[in-house]
Amino acid sequence: MKKSIIPILLSFVLVLAGCVNTKSDVNDGGKKNGEAVEIELLGMTSDQDDLNIVRDQLSKAGFKVKLNLQPDYGSFSAQEDAGNYDLSMSGWTTVTGNPDYAVRSLFITGGDYSRISDEEVDKLIEKASTETPEEYVQTYKELEQRLVFDKAYIAPLYRNYKTQAVNKDVLNADTVRLSKSRSLAWEDIDFNDSSKRDTEPLILSQSNPTLTSLDPIKGNDGSINMLNTNMYVRLVNLTDDDQVTSDASLSWNHTIAEGNSEYYFILRDDINFAKITDKKAVDTGERVGAEDVIFSLNRAKDKNSVPDHRTYTLHEHIDTVEVVTDLSELESVTQSDGSGTIREGLEEGLDTKISELVADKTAVDNGAGKYQVVKLTTTKPFPQVLNYLAHQSAGIVSQKQVESINTYDVAEFDVNKDIPYGDQNTVTEGPSYDNHLYASGPYILSYKNDYEAEFLKNPAYMPGTENEPNISTVTVRFIKDADSTLSALRNGEIYVYYGVPETKYDVVENDSKLRLQRIESNAATYMLFNPSEKREVGKSEDLRKAILYSINQQDFIDFYQGNVIKAVSTVSPLVDTGNELVADKEKAQEHLNKYLESK
């Protein structure tokens, strides 16, 4: 997920010459034709603290530095696309818990956000994607080595913590989970006084009131990630420490066949779709079944299934999805870990073993041994497909309902007259309100306005189990800035602040009614070099390395009072490669001299 936590201001460009504190601090040996080598740093006004640290470090290393500060993400992107930078501020949060997501879009040739084209990087990314976690550590180590140290395509700055603040006077803080990748799970949260479950709402917040889409495949951003995660069930989930699990998902169990290309899921029968009638959540009576899984994943992988499909690249490794009706297939295929047959893996822990496999979801009866099993085949061995299936974009929608809404021709879609499934206007109070959502998850959006959105408990989501949602109503308040959100939390206007900034930790910790929860996140902040031959950094590996070894990550740790962590790349939060970037003035000068000698 591309870093975009940027406040929007009026568009302008502010270019500042880098300044030097004292002459003794400065390396005077980095001059070309009597002039210091100039480096342009591109970022946004919200990144100014980080950019000032980088500027000062490079100035002390003998570079002449100027800042190109942009007020918002759109202006920043325009400058980046135009190539008006030597290094641009970049960040990435891996929201799927797997390292392939941490590198594919960013660094593979032709990736969604990639500005790099390196055959060796491509080969290593593809190789690692076919390997199990036990196998891929060495491959990602080699990838990181080439990306950072051998070619200096990026200059890492730091990793972040993931945090949230909880009003422990109102909520049982132990029920408020904090996961590395998964968004906040609402169904587990409970009040200290459980008698309030049906009479008072759980009040949360987010900054953006404009929702990209309530169709899970049409958005992958902060406006809808948490919302869609809680509205649509998936085949698997992620644990809080990023392990793939069937717990609280649509499947009782899942297993991988020998060869790592075939994946089997045995579905549970206690989830129905919910809908909104008169702004109340009701059970549609329609079970969430294999037909809906097949429909949802086929549209998820198909770029042309909907207009403005924003998540298809996450699912491009899916080849086929089908329902299995031949029980002998489960008995003749071995699990990839050699622990037994697919049937044995799927039946592990089931109260009732499989007696029959059915194609029609209306014929399912788990208590009588009648199950549906879905088989997913990938285009190549790709164990990390399971992490992508845990992402909100793999949420299961109702085939019947989506097809009844999306009657338009995708190629001829007209935004002015066609109303797609999940359009936020259909759930916004006013003349356009016509809620057509069918939710397979624990909650369904009832309505929204500019102030808040109200979600109601799905009455047919695993009723009577430990996964049934505790609180009946969730209200999400739209609060734009960090100071106002923190104030609302402290005043009891919201009960959880998801994503507390580093600069606000002390405020939370000093408030007796609040608890700060913090874990190491999957987020990394780094500087991206301009690869264009029009820029000296794009042409010279030595110049890039001179800059790389001038970066001292300890300065960032000190500035943020220990609330950030050292990083090497976007892989760092997920795989312990053993690599480390150490600032080295001698190496920096050596590479700078080589660059100057080549001119």
Side-chain angles (χ1 to χ4, degrees), residues 297-323:
L297 297 184
N298 279 335
R299 70 193 294 266
K301 71 170 185 171
D302 180 5
K303 179 181 180 179
N304 300 312
S305 62
V306 292
D308 198 25
H309 194 330
R310 300 188 182 186
T311 60
Y312 65 91
T313 56
L314 301 185
H315 307 291
E316 61 188 358
H317 290 96
I318 296 176
D319 186 13
T320 60
V321 190
E322 56 192 312
V323 63

Side-chain angles (χ1 to χ4, degrees), residues 135-382:
E135 299 167 332
Y136 64 43
V137 173
Q138 180 60 33
T139 306
Y140 282 116
K141 178 182 177 69
E142 294 173 16
L143 171 61
E144 198 171 63
Q145 176 68 34
R146 184 169 183 84
L147 189 68
V148 180
F149 303 100
D150 295 347
K151 305 300 292 185
Y153 291 130
I154 67 171
L157 303 183
Y158 57 84
R159 292 169 52 194
N160 301 86
Y161 286 97
K162 184 176 182 180
T163 60
Q164 62 192 17
V166 181
N167 185 327
K168 58 187 177 68
D169 286 354
V170 176
L171 298 180
N172 178 349
D174 292 336
T175 67
V176 185
R177 295 169 51 186
L178 181 60
S179 307
K180 286 194 71 176
S181 294
R182 184 178 175 178
S183 192
L184 181 63
W186 299 346
E187 68 265 31
D188 298 313
I189 301 175
D190 204 356
F191 291 115
N192 287 320
D193 181 358
S194 60
S195 68
K196 296 180 178 180
R197 290 174 176 176
D198 296 327
T199 59
E200 295 189 15
L202 166 64
I203 310 175
L204 310 174
S205 70
Q206 71 174 42
S207 60
N208 197 341
T210 303
L211 311 182
T212 302
S213 177
L214 285 314
D215 183 339
I217 66 174
K218 292 192 66 176
N220 186 19
D221 59 78
S223 77
I224 49 81
N225 278 339
M226 180 170 64
L227 311 186
N228 282 347
T229 294
N230 287 283
M231 280 227 302
Y232 299 99
V233 74
R234 296 160 297 283
L235 277 177
V236 290
N237 280 321
L238 293 177
T239 63
D240 292 345
D241 60 353
D242 282 348
Q243 301 303 305
V244 178
T245 179
S246 285
D247 291 345
S249 76
L250 182 58
S251 64
W252 289 112
N253 284 315
H254 69 276
T255 189
I256 308 173
E258 190 174 19
N260 294 333
S261 288
E262 295 174 337
Y263 303 79
Y264 292 83
F265 308 84
I266 186 166
L267 306 188
R268 57 192 305 152
D269 66 350
D270 58 354
I271 304 175
N272 286 0
F273 290 103
K275 67 178 180 178
I276 296 294
T277 301
D278 297 328
K279 293 190 176 179
K280 295 181 180 179
V282 298
D283 180 358
T284 64
E286 181 189 349
R287 176 175 290 142
V288 182
E291 301 93 314
D292 304 298
V293 172
I294 294 167
F295 173 75
S296 299
L297 297 184
N298 279 335
R299 70 193 294 266
K301 71 170 185 171
D302 180 5
K303 179 181 180 179
N304 300 312
S305 62
V306 292
D308 198 25
H309 194 330
R310 300 188 182 186
T311 60
Y312 65 91
T313 56
L314 301 185
H315 307 291
E316 61 188 358
H317 290 96
I318 296 176
D319 186 13
T320 60
V321 190
E322 56 192 312
V323 63
V324 179
T325 56
D326 184 357
L327 194 54
S328 66
E329 177 180 342
L330 307 185
E331 298 168 340
S332 62
V333 179
T334 304
Q335 295 181 65
S336 63
D337 61 4
S339 61
T341 66
I342 294 298
R343 178 173 183 171
E344 290 172 326
L346 294 179
E347 288 186 329
E348 184 177 351
L350 291 183
D351 291 336
T352 306
K353 304 302 183 184
I354 304 170
S355 62
E356 183 182 352
L357 296 179
V358 299
D360 185 348
K361 65 182 181 182
T362 63
V364 172
D365 183 350
N366 291 175
K370 297 180 180 181
Y371 292 90
Q372 285 192 311
V373 169
V374 170
K375 174 184 175 183
L376 183 150
T377 304
T378 53
T379 56
K380 64 177 183 178
F382 190 59

Side-chain angles (χ1 to χ4, degrees), residues 33-73:
N33 300 324
E35 295 290 331
V37 177
E38 184 174 273
I39 300 298
E40 182 177 7
L41 307 181
L42 172 64
M44 291 165 277
T45 50
S46 59
D47 298 319
Q48 192 164 359
D49 288 336
D50 289 345
L51 290 168
N52 282 338
I53 294 172
V54 175
R55 179 197 61 188
D56 291 345
Q57 291 177 345
L58 297 185
S59 296
K60 291 176 182 179
F63 294 97
K64 179 182 178 181
V65 185
K66 66 178 182 180
L67 301 185
N68 182 346
L69 289 177
Q70 295 295 320
D72 55 56
Y73 186 69

Side-chain angles (χ1 to χ4, degrees), residues 541-554:
E541 189 176 296
D542 280 310
L543 180 56
R544 297 197 299 272
K545 289 180 178 178
I547 294 169
L548 174 70
Y549 288 110
S550 299
I551 301 296
N552 188 337
Q553 295 187 6
Q554 189 60 45

